Amino acid sequence: MHSKAFLAALLAPATVSAQLNDLAVAAGLKYFGTALGEGTINSDSQYAAILNDKREFGQLVPENGQKWDSTEPSRGQFNYNQGDITANQAKRNGQGLRCHTMVWYSQLPNWVSSGSWTKATLTSVMETHINNVMGHYKGQCYAWDVVNEAISDDGQWRNSVFLRTFSTDYLPLSFNLAKKADPNTKLYYNDYNLEYNQAKTDRAVELVKIVQAAGAPIDGVGFQGHLIVGSTPSRANLATTLKRFTALGVEVAYTELDIRHASLPASSSAQVTQGNDFANVVGSCVDVAGCVGVTVWGFTDKHSWVPGTFPGEGDALIYDSNYRKKAAWTSISSVLAAAATGAPPQSSSSSSTFVTVTARPTSTTTTTNTPPPATSTSSGGGGGAEQTRWGQCGGNGWAGPTRCQSPWTCQKQNDWYSQCL
């Protein structure tokens, strides 16, 4: 248990000196994590130094190393060299491990995607793959993304070799096979664009119900969170969407978060908006009982999948290409720090893999055991810029906008964090 005094020490005024995983755990989450780029970890020492610090990232997930084309490129021939990079790194650092991914239409070797299968033969292929890969990592993974991106953007079932062979019966089949392979890991459905609470989200709710109705186990839904600056839903709307799934008895998490600028270079106001967007996403997880953590899909703009996939877009992460913390990092840290002052700590029965607050920033400032009550603050300062709803508008060391867009007002939460409410 973390005492109030401990939290006071952790969150003492220069909050941005605390690191994201420590803040996330203090705020009641299990972890704040990142994807690991297998081609980068051994070639960029600055990247490695930040990624290996479990105070910043308490959980890792392999970017590509556990996908089917990497682990079983030819039928019956398994290779774990790439997947083991992340697993071994997490083990050395005392970080948690999310595992990604089993049954997915993409990055699927041609022998699977173009094969001529019956239900019996494809079941055998799936069982062999899942048993071998999950068996290799058995006992190491907090969660596995068992089925990935089974829904098209229009809300229809995505065409794949699995859907063509089984119809939607492949969904409970996949989860049953995964449970048999590793009974103690969390089993997730994982997808993007669920955040907008539209037809695709409705179908994902149906997916969970299909799996449950078949008597198959499903423990969580991963919201990938590949979003666009200025088009990210509000904190309240995101929380509403998360709750649609926790109401079904599953946990939720943001599993691949990045928020890209649609055009570059990004203006200073766009960078502020990006920070607000990240704060809204992370804040929504804090706001929902059953949201266990946040994983960014890489942490530095220097190594990101976005520009190669969306030409002309990018700068989607929380460190810039020179490894400087961006406004997005500060916004996340502020939201987590604000939540930590009132959050019950993770109990000792929670996963010990993730409940690891490892450092206490030093401070010469006296703090109280409880945060001061919220009060309105002045709306002056910050030049001509105005902050959006939920955004930070003041606090010790804050150099951003201090005026809020109408009708919101800047309200002091404590000495180091004020918010537009």
Side-chain angles (χ1 to χ4, degrees):
M1 285 287 194
H2 307 307
S3 67
K4 293 273 190 176
F6 177 86
L7 287 176
L10 175 64
L11 304 170
T15 293
V16 292
S17 67
Q19 291 174 273
L20 297 181
N21 186 63
D22 281 355
L23 289 169
V25 171
L29 304 183
K30 287 186 181 293
Y31 59 82
F32 192 96
T34 184
L36 178 149
E38 294 90 353
T40 305
I41 187 66
N42 293 319
S43 62
D44 187 330
S45 60
Q46 199 167 2
Y47 173 93
I50 296 171
L51 181 139
N52 288 336
D53 187 347
K54 69 178 180 180
R55 297 169 302 175
E56 184 79 331
F57 300 117
Q59 171 256 88
L60 302 179
V61 58
E63 192 167 1
N64 290 295
Q66 291 177 328
K67 294 171 182 173
W68 200 317
D69 61 355
S70 179
T71 54
E72 193 186 5
S74 300
R75 186 170 183 176
Q77 297 180 9
F78 292 88
N79 187 323
Y80 301 110
N81 291 338
Q82 291 298 300
D84 285 352
I85 292 172
T86 305
N88 292 340
Q89 206 77 15
K91 192 179 302 181
R92 281 193 295 269
N93 298 333
Q95 294 159 308
L97 179 68
R98 283 194 90 255
C99 291
H100 172 82
T101 180
M102 284 284 104
V103 178
W104 185 29
Y105 77 95
S106 185
Q107 290 184 245
L108 195 62
N110 188 64
W111 69 267
V112 180
S113 60
S114 299
S116 179
W117 306 107
T118 65
K119 289 182 179 180
T121 56
L122 189 53
T123 297
S124 177
V125 164
M126 292 168 63
E127 184 171 22
T128 297
H129 182 77
I130 290 171
N131 281 345
N132 276 272
V133 179
M134 291 187 68
H136 180 79
Y137 295 104
K138 188 173 183 177
Q140 300 180 58
C141 306
Y142 169 77
W144 263 102
D145 292 328
V146 176
V147 177
N148 198 51
E149 299 177 4
I151 306 167
S152 297
D153 287 343
D154 61 1
Q156 300 302 308
W157 296 114
R158 188 182 294 279
N159 184 26
S160 71
V161 64
F162 307 107
L163 186 72
R164 292 191 299 272
T165 303
F166 296 102
S167 187
T168 57
D169 288 347
Y170 86 90
L171 300 168
L173 172 63
S174 300
F175 282 92
N176 278 324
L177 292 173
K179 186 68 172 181
K180 182 180 177 183
D182 188 348
N184 297 317
T185 191
K186 300 277 190 179
L187 306 178
Y188 268 64
Y189 175 68
N190 191 54
D191 212 332
Y192 66 94
N193 283 354
L194 303 181
E195 300 80 11
Y196 298 99
N197 207 7
Q198 296 176 345
K200 188 169 185 175
T201 315
D202 294 340
R203 186 68 75 180
V205 169
E206 181 185 349
L207 183 153
V208 174
K209 292 179 177 179
I210 287 172
V211 175
Q212 292 175 331
I218 180 170
D219 301 301
V221 172
F223 286 64
Q224 291 183 13
H226 296 302
L227 302 168
I228 302 173
V229 172
S231 299
T232 298
S234 70
R235 179 170 175 168
N237 286 346
L238 288 164
T240 295
T241 306
L242 295 177
K243 289 175 184 176
R244 291 188 67 185
F245 293 90
T246 58
L248 299 176
V250 297
E251 66 183 41
V252 292
Y254 289 106
T255 55
E256 304 183 20
L257 179 61
D258 50 41
I259 307 180
R260 65 186 185 270
H261 292 282
S263 62
L264 298 174
S267 66
S268 57
S269 63
Q271 292 177 50
V272 170
T273 300
Q274 184 185 50
N276 292 335
D277 289 346
F278 268 102
N280 285 339
V281 174
V282 175
S284 71
C285 187
V286 170
D287 292 343
V288 174
C291 188
V292 299
V294 176
T295 303
V296 288
W297 204 244
F299 63 90
T300 170
D301 295 334
K302 184 176 181 180
H303 302 291
S304 170
W305 72 289
V306 172
T309 306
F310 302 98
E313 303 181 33
D315 288 358
L317 297 170
I318 59 177
Y319 285 71
D320 69 16
S321 295
N322 294 311
Y323 293 103
R324 294 178 298 226
K325 294 172 181 176
K326 295 162 60 175
W329 188 100
T330 303
S331 296
I332 292 170
S333 69
S334 296
V335 166
L336 292 173
T341 61
Q346 292 286 336
S347 70
S348 58
S349 63
S350 299
S351 170
S352 59
T353 304
F354 294 113
V355 184
T356 53
V357 177
T358 53
R360 309 182 190 185
T362 58
S363 171
T364 58
T365 304
T366 301
T367 59
T368 59
N369 287 341
T370 56
T375 57
S376 295
T377 65
S378 168
S379 61
E386 291 185 336
Q387 185 64 285
T388 58
R389 187 185 186 189
W390 306 115
Q392 185 175 1
C393 53
N396 290 347
W398 174 249
T402 57
R403 283 192 292 269
C404 299
Q405 293 177 357
S406 178
W408 319 117
T409 59
C410 189
Q411 298 188 27
K412 180 177 178 179
Q413 305 302 304
N414 47 55
D415 289 342
W416 36 264
Y417 188 75
S418 297
Q419 187 177 25
C420 290
L421 299 171

